Each structure stands twice: as structure tokens, then as C-alpha cells.
Amino acid sequence: LAKTTQPISMDSYEGQEVNITCSHNNIATNDYITWYQQFPSQGPRFIIQGYKTKVTNEVASLFIPADRKSSTLSLPRVSLSDTAVYYCLVRNQAGTALIFGKGTTLSMSS
Amino acid sequence: EPEVTQTPSHQVTQMGQEVILRCVPISNHLYFYWYRQILGQKVEFLVSFYNNEISEKSEIFDDQFSVERPDGSNFTLKIRSTKLEDSAMYFCATSPRQGPHEQYFGPGTRLTVT
């Protein structure tokens, strides 16, 4: 599986748009890009998944350029409750296990 | 919304004792997983389970660990002889299908080995 690299931490303010970029230079043709969120003392929670271009749901948007070597999770108008660790994962079509990295800790100021 | 549930929420045990962690998957989900997270560290995959068989396991999942679905509803993780380093949050996750599909995580069981 392709290794992912993302910033260890990010700071933001309430109401701002937050963009977290993940690099996955060795992504394979059959791989998907998935993002999970984890609040303290809770299990990870699925946010969004995509293969190429742009995916949007009620929580976030995921931007994937044509070469797919990186992806950006965009959280619109964050609030204090968005304080969490955000994980970028690469999964293939047959994938079962989720392989987590250290993630990006998003901290918020009011 | 259906949820994965886990019991107990917190288990304290002495080194060398056996523990069984329980998970109730979302009904109609067929794929089950255990993960663990040592305090302050990343979430680590332990094992995946489908059709009453282990389909994948990590290096962490050694002979001290076992999984089963004893009654068609619960999904359990047993640690035969706990060690101090087994202290962690253990998360159960389930998925309706194989492949790059969303996994739904339970709230976790905090295992403390003394």
C-alpha cells in the first residue's frame, strides 16, 4: 500500500475553511483515498472517500488532482467541535485492513 | 442510526489473566475487525474476520489472541494471557462489504493490565 504523509498538526479558527493535504506518491491504479476523523477516546469515523477529481458530502470535500499523488481534505467553516485527529489512508479494491498513520491533529481557537 | 457496540467500556485485569472483549456488529454487516490504540499512539490493525474465518491479521495478532463469533451476533476478541503492553483501547469495526468501503467503529474498550 502507498505510504501517506500529512502534517502532524494544524491550527485554525472557528469559521475558517481548513485544508489538510496528504501526499501519497506511490498510489496504485486501484487505490482509493479515504479520510477518517477521530475524537479523543472515540473510535475513528469515516469522513469521505474518493478515487479522482472531487468528492463532496455534507461534512467535507475531497480534492484529488489528476496524478493522484496527493489529496486535500477541505472542511468548510470549522467549529470547536471539529477538533480531532484526521487520518488520510490509501486503500485498494480488495482492501480489508485500515492502515492508519499518525494523522493530523487539528486544533481550534475561538 | 445503527451503531457498533462494545462491552465492557473499561476492563482492568492483572497480568497473565485472560480477557474477552465483546462487540455487537451492525446487523447485516458481514466483515468484522479489531484494532487497538495504545495511549498516544496510532490506531493499529489486529485482525479481520469474515464467514467465521480470519481473513487477514497483523504481526501483533499472535497466538495470545483469538477471535470468534460464538452466537451469530457477538464478535469477541480474547487475549489468553495479558501482558502490560496489551494495555490499550480496543476498537471493533464492521463493514457491510469487503473492499474500500466504510468501516463503522465502536466506542472501544479500554483495557488496563496491571
Side-chain angles (χ1 to χ4, degrees):
Chain A
L1 283 177
K3 181 181 175 182
T4 59
T5 303
Q6 55 184 119
I8 294 294
S9 63
M10 291 184 71
D11 296 311
S12 186
Y13 295 91
E14 279 197 296
Q16 296 295 302
E17 178 183 83
V18 170
N19 296 308
I20 306 174
T21 296
C22 176
S23 65
H24 25 78
N25 290 319
N26 297 322
I27 192 167
T29 304
N30 292 334
D31 289 344
Y32 289 76
I33 299 140
T34 304
W35 286 80
Y36 277 74
Q37 173 192 55
Q38 186 180 26
F39 297 112
S41 299
Q42 294 187 27
R45 187 178 74 160
F46 173 87
I47 303 175
I48 198 166
Q49 178 170 287
Y51 182 79
K52 61 181 180 180
T53 62
K54 177 183 173 183
V55 180
T56 297
N57 61 23
E58 64 276 8
V59 176
S61 294
L62 179 60
F63 298 93
I64 305 168
D67 66 6
R68 305 201 324 123
K69 292 183 183 299
S70 67
S71 59
T72 299
L73 174 73
S74 181
L75 304 172
R77 297 181 299 282
V78 293
S79 65
L80 289 174
S81 63
D82 293 313
T83 299
V85 180
Y86 292 83
Y87 299 97
C88 167
L89 301 91
V90 170
R91 306 183 68 192
N92 59 40
Q93 284 188 320
T96 54
L98 294 174
I99 305 301
F100 289 86
K102 294 183 179 179
T104 297
T105 300
L106 177 62
S107 301
M108 301 292 302
S109 301
S110 55
Chain B
E1 183 178 325
E3 293 181 335
V4 177
T5 58
Q6 292 186 241
T7 55
S9 57
H10 191 187
Q11 174 92 44
V12 181
T13 189
Q14 289 190 326
M15 197 167 48
Q17 296 297 303
E18 173 183 286
V19 295
I20 298 176
L21 311 182
R22 291 182 170 78
C23 168
V24 178
I26 295 171
S27 65
N28 83 343
H29 281 201
L30 303 176
Y31 294 86
F32 314 121
Y33 312 85
W34 283 102
Y35 295 84
R36 78 172 185 190
Q37 186 173 32
I38 296 170
L39 186 63
Q41 298 188 24
K42 62 184 181 180
V43 177
E44 300 174 293
F45 167 73
L46 294 178
V47 66
S48 61
F49 189 84
Y50 167 70
N51 199 25
N52 286 320
E53 289 184 347
I54 290 174
S55 48
E56 190 177 359
K57 62 181 180 179
S58 72
E59 294 177 350
I60 302 169
F61 194 87
D62 60 21
D63 293 343
Q64 292 298 315
F65 292 89
S66 62
V67 289
E68 65 174 355
R69 202 162 180 227
D71 55 12
S73 60
N74 289 296
F75 176 51
T76 63
L77 174 69
K78 181 192 291 185
I79 309 175
R80 289 191 182 82
S81 178
T82 50
K83 307 180 192 117
L84 294 176
E85 54 265 36
D86 292 327
S87 294
M89 280 288 282
Y90 287 80
F91 295 108
C92 171
T94 72
S95 179
R97 295 178 297 279
Q98 192 179 12
H101 299 290
E102 178 179 352
Q103 291 185 16
Y104 297 78
F105 282 75
T109 292
R110 179 168 299 283
L111 176 66
T112 302
V113 182
T114 61

